[in-house]
Amino acid sequence: MSADLSGQSHIVVGGAGYIGSHVCKMIAALGGTPVTFDNLSSGHDHAVQWGPLVNVDLCNVEKTREAFHAHKEAVSVIHLASSIEVGIGEKDPAGFYNNNVIGAYNLLEAMRANNLNRFIFSSTCATYGETENVPLTEDEVQNPFSVYGKTKLTIEHMIQSYHNAYALNYITLRYFNASGADPDGDIGEEHDPETHLIPIALEAAAGRRGKIKIFGTDYETPDGTCIRDYIHVNDIARAHILGLQRFDEGLTNLEVNIGTGNGYSNLQILQTIEKVTGLPLPYDATPRRPGDVTRLYADATRAKEVLGFEPAHSDLENIIRTAWNFHRSRWQI
Ligand code: UDP
């Protein structure tokens, strides 16, 4: 990648988290300084290795304002901090709306107060909801099914309003399923509790938990399980860098899918994990998980045409191999 971020600092909100830490590593590799804003509620201070850490909770209006004021020389703000677990959101919508929507509002206000006007936002394919129209284009009606998706769509609307009224320049990246890990093994997916399919299945393969539960085998898909579009975390990180470059060229006001365009069922994921690890992975079929939709995979045309983005690391075996290598070194097996 030819981007040169020398001398620039970029605020990465959620930089101690899974995707955020990979974004920080890439910014630093291109000569920039990632300034992580994180309350460490789900991120890890050991993942902040490429720039300073500012411990700030977006729900604290005063501290958020102060933190942005202290770093108002930043060229952009990348916002990845949010509550993400679909199942937890169904049980705790108040917590999700507070952390995600109120937090994003406080962040946008702090940006406005400090004349920061370049913003990259982590949104999600979960804003689309249940649809038969796959692959999903960005023009699909957004009718999210989960509380998680609803909070992200609310923030998308807020950002559009800030663009219209206050000239906020923004790029909203609607990620599909982030997966895989840094090939150097420095960082990877470390949620606690872990709710995502690939890391849970790797734990089961390693004998660190009992049989994996597959939530729903009665979906209208070829093998009855849900279909998702898995994209390597370093491809997602690169989409942010491309976004930063496009700002320089005047691009703004963009919503774009970040996916591969390929859908894999939950059982196909388990089969690929068995292949990559060489370990058996038995599963229990259990009822559907509330909030899940049948199939989600991207039409990746806009990302290619407008951002110049194409996945380079998202071959499914590579995703699983990098995740497996990261977890094995963490578990010392
Ligand atoms: N899933 C599953 N068992 C698990 C975790 C996830 O069957 O222990 C399924 C989940 O119901 C969904 C798919 O795996 O169909 C991907 O879920 P994940 O939480 O990884 O990502 P999401 O698509 O919800 O963002």
Side-chain angles (χ1 to χ4, degrees):
M1 195 182 328
S2 57
D4 179 6
L5 307 183
S6 302
Q8 299 180 2
S9 79
H10 297 268
I11 295 172
V12 183
V13 185
Y18 171 42
I19 301 172
S21 58
H22 288 79
V23 171
C24 287
K25 183 172 180 179
M26 209 169 273
I27 288 173
L30 296 167
T33 302
V35 180
T36 291
F37 285 12
D38 205 299
N39 65 2
L40 300 179
S41 60
S42 57
H44 306 279
D45 51 7
H46 63 249
V48 184
Q49 302 175 25
W50 296 278
L53 168 63
V54 179
N55 192 324
V56 58
D57 187 333
L58 296 181
C59 291
N60 184 326
V61 178
E62 283 294 300
K63 287 239 165 88
T64 299
R65 244 177 226 214
E66 279 166 27
F68 278 91
H69 185 72
H71 292 278
K72 64 181 181 191
E73 78 290 350
V75 174
S76 78
V77 177
I78 299 174
H79 178 33
L80 309 100
S82 73
S83 303
I84 57 166
E85 303 84 1
V86 170
I88 297 173
E90 300 309 299
K91 294 185 197 130
D92 180 26
F96 266 54
Y97 277 95
N98 185 47
N99 197 37
N100 294 359
V101 177
I102 307 291
Y105 167 74
N106 292 340
L107 178 156
L108 287 171
E109 282 298 280
M111 284 182 66
R112 196 155 74 95
N114 289 292
N115 297 318
L116 288 158
N117 75 345
R118 286 185 175 185
F119 187 53
I120 298 187
F121 175 58
S122 303
S123 191
T124 168
C125 59
T127 57
Y128 293 115
E130 189 71 89
T131 172
E132 289 306 308
N133 299 332
V134 282
L136 277 153
T137 69
E138 292 82 355
D139 298 326
E140 180 66 29
V141 173
Q142 287 173 289
N143 186 16
F145 195 50
S146 61
V147 169
Y148 167 61
K150 286 175 182 167
T151 63
K152 288 285 188 172
L153 182 57
T154 305
I155 301 166
E156 284 198 14
H157 289 159
M158 192 158 52
I159 293 166
Q160 289 157 2
S161 303
Y162 272 61
H163 170 78
N164 294 335
Y166 310 129
L168 177 72
N169 295 309
Y170 75 87
I171 297 175
T172 287
L173 303 177
R174 293 185 188 142
Y175 309 154
F176 282 65
N177 285 57
S179 47
D182 169 37
D184 301 334
D186 290 335
I187 38 178
E189 195 166 8
E190 294 182 83
H191 298 122
D192 184 19
E194 188 51 80
T195 61
H196 292 106
L197 179 65
I198 291 176
I200 285 184
L202 292 174
E203 285 180 17
R208 296 176 65 86
R209 64 163 69 220
K211 269 201 240 175
I212 183 163
K213 294 180 179 145
I214 289 298
F215 301 138
T217 50
D218 58 347
Y219 285 96
E220 283 185 28
T221 59
D223 66 20
T225 64
C226 290
I227 291 176
R228 296 287 181 272
D229 181 341
Y230 292 87
I231 176 143
H232 195 285
V233 62
N234 269 345
D235 281 330
I236 295 183
R238 207 163 42 84
H240 293 76
I241 305 296
L242 290 168
L244 296 178
Q245 288 180 280
R246 297 297 171 263
F247 278 140
D248 288 338
E249 295 159 14
L251 182 75
T252 179
N253 193 13
L254 174 74
E255 283 80 20
V256 62
N257 288 337
I258 301 298
T260 67
N262 300 316
Y264 293 99
S265 75
N266 295 343
L267 293 187
Q268 286 177 305
I269 297 297
L270 299 195
Q271 284 152 12
T272 311
I273 290 178
E274 288 184 322
K275 183 174 170 202
V276 169
T277 64
L279 296 165
L281 190 46
Y283 67 91
D284 282 328
T286 66
R288 295 181 178 197
R289 182 174 70 176
D292 273 341
V293 299
T294 307
R295 59 174 79 70
L296 285 172
Y297 54 94
D299 181 318
T301 311
R302 185 181 290 177
K304 186 171 176 191
E305 286 180 358
V306 183
L307 281 184
F309 172 78
E310 279 186 282
H313 307 284
S314 295
D315 167 76
L316 187 58
E317 288 191 20
N318 184 55
I319 285 175
I320 290 170
R321 193 175 310 109
T322 54
W324 179 232
N325 288 342
F326 171 72
H327 289 299
R328 270 203 306 186
S329 87
R330 206 172 138 228
W331 299 330
Q332 301 185 327
I333 56 170

